[in-house]
Amino acid sequence: MSEPLTRRQLLAAMAAVAGSAALTGCQGFLPPTYGSLLGIGEALTFASHRVLLRKQPFAREFDRGMISANFPAINTVDPEDEEYQRLRAGGFAEWRLPVTGLVGKPLALSLEMLRSMPARTQVTQHNCEQGWSAIAEWTGVSLHHVLEAAAIRPEARYVVFHCVDGWWDSLDMFDALHPQTVLAYGMNGGDVPVKHGAPIRLRVERQLGYKSLKFVKSIQVTDRIDQIEDGTGAMVVKYGYSWYAGI
């Protein structure tokens, strides 16, 4: 295990990262929202986290005995979408998850196909931007297995998620390929409930809760996100939230 960075080393690394990004246009250390005054703080946070997390550590995992008795369900809890309700009535047997964009093998994954991939179970803490937290067990397939199956192309830089309720967001490859970034189909030993995003919920354990989207309906791999939706990388940006929500 490597020695932790000292405060001086961290500040020097942040300065080097920021300077390199500014001089060379290196996008790997800049979030999509860096181009505004408010984006400066986010860019510094993003760059410092890339230094601190360079060895891809895991978010803390807990014993099952610490699972919260109450895990709040907020925002959409039952989408008013006719197609979703039709699929739900059929037990999601006809549900498919398209994986498109910069991939060599576009996919349309059923729940059965996702369950056949290597499974990961993790008991983690969900930290909500509204000030509450809760612990739950999530079972699913790490996103990197799905991206490998789709044969992502070398120029791919972002993974964009669209959801049944209209929400959308994106991750860069650093977080998308982390083992704890999971497409969860199970919660606390059962299926993911509708109120928590059935049939599939994204889990991004090293970022705030709003990055863990519910009701995921499609995945798009791309080399840029300034031409997707409003170009900010996430629906939440227009509400004043950061694209990068690392904790």
Side-chain angles (χ1 to χ4, degrees), residues 83-93:
E83 178 65 7
Y84 176 83
Q85 294 298 335
R86 182 186 72 81
L87 293 170
R88 175 186 175 186
F92 298 110

Side-chain angles (χ1 to χ4, degrees), residues 19-37:
S20 174
L23 292 173
T24 69
C26 176
Q27 298 298 306
F29 289 102
L30 290 173
T33 50
Y34 76 94
S36 66
L37 181 61

Side-chain angles (χ1 to χ4, degrees), residues 6 14 35 45 224:
T6 65
M14 288 176 60
T45 298
R224 56 190 298 177

Side-chain angles (χ1 to χ4, degrees), residues 39-180:
I40 293 175
E42 183 180 349
L44 290 174
T45 298
F46 182 77
S48 63
H49 278 209
R50 284 296 178 265
V51 173
L52 289 169
L53 303 178
R54 65 197 183 283
K55 295 186 181 297
Q56 291 286 40
F58 278 40
R60 181 183 177 186
E61 296 188 14
F62 300 82
D63 295 330
R64 293 197 83 254
M66 298 186 70
I67 292 175
S68 301
N70 177 42
F71 194 112
I74 61 174
N75 300 321
T76 306
V77 295
D78 190 3
E80 296 180 359
D81 180 271
E82 290 184 6
E83 178 65 7
Y84 176 83
Q85 294 298 335
R86 182 186 72 81
L87 293 170
R88 175 186 175 186
F92 298 110
E94 297 182 17
W95 176 89
R96 297 293 184 272
L97 177 67
V99 183
T100 61
L102 293 179
V103 298
K105 300 176 182 178
L107 303 175
L109 298 168
S110 65
L111 274 176
E112 182 179 358
M113 293 169 70
L114 287 171
R115 290 178 185 273
S116 72
M117 294 182 175
R120 176 177 175 79
T121 295
Q122 55 199 33
V123 181
T124 53
Q125 180 168 288
H126 180 101
N127 296 286
C128 183
E129 68 283 359
Q130 296 178 348
W132 58 268
S133 63
I135 295 173
E137 178 187 75
W138 304 97
T139 298
V141 55
S142 292
L143 179 61
H144 75 84
H145 287 306
V146 173
L147 297 177
E148 286 176 358
I152 58 172
R153 288 163 47 180
E155 64 268 34
R157 291 184 52 230
Y158 297 101
V159 182
V160 181
F161 306 87
H162 283 90
C163 303
V164 172
D165 59 357
W167 285 80
W168 66 278
D169 210 317
S170 63
L171 298 173
D172 69 351
M173 287 300 170
F174 186 85
D175 281 319
L177 297 178
H178 190 271
Q180 287 179 308

